[in-house]
């Protein structure tokens, strides 16, 4: 770090030395204190033993490291589809039978669509639901079951004839897979994907996320500095949202 400030003659007065930023855990593991001088190398130069490195100051900050867990928002969708594919691969589900074969109480406003819409339809956003059904209800605190129930009151677009991105439409497809597997979606994803892959810091549970010591919180600028001011519990959307993970996983 430091090059972006040293390149400017005015900002150079504020940051006069080159530095390397270290997360507190990384610094502690290496016995480095804030302000210590350290030697750094780029990965290619690790193979050049005669090159000792560049001597810079250590700046120990609360910035993220490879183990910091983030909420993934809509990156939860491809992650969840991988777990659903795992259930399909085990022979417990197929992409194309009607959703109601697994979720008999599920309904949309058109009886034909209700009887024929599939997991594949839900995951490809071609079931006719409008773009953001359920999002406002989630913001107001409604739970997943009630939001999914109320989808039946929404007018539909053409079935399998247009694309319309929908969080809770996709969520229904994931719930059908979880029903076929015999448990919640969060537990299904853990058993089918995360545990076998060694993804020990990945989960679809908000409770798991808030329990992490090393996790990125939602910040906003207030009083001249960034502060952790907000929370986002997306359990109702899982698997369309709600996943959390880190770079290692």
């Amino acid at each position: 770090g430091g090059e972006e400030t040293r390149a400017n003659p005015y900002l150079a007065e504020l940051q006069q030395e080159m530095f390397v930023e270290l997360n507190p855990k990384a610094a502690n593991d290496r016995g480095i204190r804030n302000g210590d001088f350290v030697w750094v190398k780029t990965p290619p130069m690790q193979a050049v033993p005669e090159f000792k490195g560049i001597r810079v100051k250590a700046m120990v900050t609360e910035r993220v490291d490879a183990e910091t867990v983030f909420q993934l928002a809509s990156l939860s969708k491809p992650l969840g589809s991988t777990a659903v594919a795992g259930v399909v691969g085990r022979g417990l589900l197929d992409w194309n039978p009607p959703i109601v074969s697994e979720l008999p109480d599920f309904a949309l406003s058109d009886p034909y669509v209700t009887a024929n819409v599939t997991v594949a339809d839900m995951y490809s956003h071609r079931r006719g639901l409008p773009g953001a059904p359920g999002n406002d209800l989630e913001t107001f605190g409604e739970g997943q079951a009630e939001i999914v129930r109320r989808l039946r009151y929404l007018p539909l677009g053409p079935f399998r004839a247009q694309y319309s991105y929908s969080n809770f439409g996709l969520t229904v497809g994931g719930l059908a897979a979880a029903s076929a597997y015999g448990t919640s979606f969060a537990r299904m994803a853990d058993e089918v994907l995360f545990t076998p892959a060694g993804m020990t810091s990945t989960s679809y549970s908000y409770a798991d996320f808030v329990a992490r010591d090393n996790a990125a919180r939602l910040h906003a600028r207030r009083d001249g500095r960034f502060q952790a001011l907000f929370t986002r519990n997306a359990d109702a959307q899982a698997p369309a949202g709600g996943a959390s993970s880190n770079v290692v996983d």
Side-chain angles (χ1 to χ4, degrees):
E3 69 278 0
E4 69 278 8
T5 53
R6 290 166 61 83
N8 183 303
Y10 302 101
L11 295 179
E13 292 299 314
L14 302 177
Q15 180 60 53
Q16 299 182 17
E17 297 173 299
M18 296 293 286
F19 62 90
V20 58
E21 291 188 5
L22 293 171
N23 180 273
K25 182 179 183 301
N28 185 66
D29 290 346
R30 294 162 176 80
I32 298 171
R33 295 173 300 178
N34 189 54
D36 285 351
F37 280 99
V38 296
W39 293 92
V40 296
K41 289 184 179 183
T42 60
M45 297 305 292
Q46 297 287 346
V48 184
E50 60 271 21
F51 178 68
K52 188 174 182 179
I54 301 172
R55 187 172 181 263
V56 297
K57 268 194 173 182
M59 180 182 290
V60 180
T61 75
E62 291 291 342
R63 291 183 186 253
V64 303
D65 61 17
E67 296 181 351
T68 303
V69 175
F70 286 82
Q71 291 178 286
L72 300 184
S74 283
L75 286 177
S76 304
K77 293 178 174 68
L79 193 65
S81 66
T82 305
V84 172
V87 176
V88 173
R90 295 184 182 200
L92 301 175
L93 177 75
D94 192 84
W95 293 104
N96 295 313
I99 290 280
V100 290
S101 63
E102 287 296 338
L103 303 176
D105 294 331
F106 174 71
L108 294 172
S109 59
D110 185 321
Y112 176 83
V113 178
T114 297
N116 289 277
V117 68
T118 68
V119 174
D121 292 326
M122 293 300 189
Y123 267 87
S124 56
H125 300 287
R126 64 186 187 190
R127 89 299 285 169
L129 281 169
N135 291 357
D136 288 344
L137 290 176
E138 182 194 15
T139 301
F140 296 146
E142 285 288 2
Q144 184 181 78
E146 181 61 14
I147 294 172
V148 169
R149 187 188 72 82
R150 293 190 186 194
L151 294 179
R152 69 190 63 195
Y153 302 124
L154 295 168
L156 300 178
F159 182 46
R160 295 177 181 163
Q162 70 177 27
Y163 172 90
S164 183
Y165 187 97
S166 166
N167 286 322
F168 283 97
L170 185 145
T171 292
V172 171
L175 294 177
S179 175
Y181 188 76
T183 187
S184 67
F185 188 87
R187 184 170 181 179
M188 180 201 83
D190 185 59
E191 294 181 0
V192 173
L193 177 59
F194 304 152
T195 296
M199 300 169 69
T200 57
S201 297
T202 305
S203 174
Y204 273 97
S205 165
Y206 181 70
D208 288 346
F209 171 73
V210 298
R212 311 283 189 197
D213 291 330
N214 186 0
R217 310 301 178 186
L218 297 177
H219 285 63
R221 192 175 182 86
R222 177 183 288 178
D223 299 328
R225 64 189 181 92
F226 284 97
Q227 305 176 52
L229 299 175
F230 306 102
T231 60
R232 173 73 169 98
N233 182 343
D235 281 354
Q237 280 193 22
S244 59
S245 189
N246 62 15
V247 170
V248 172
D249 283 4

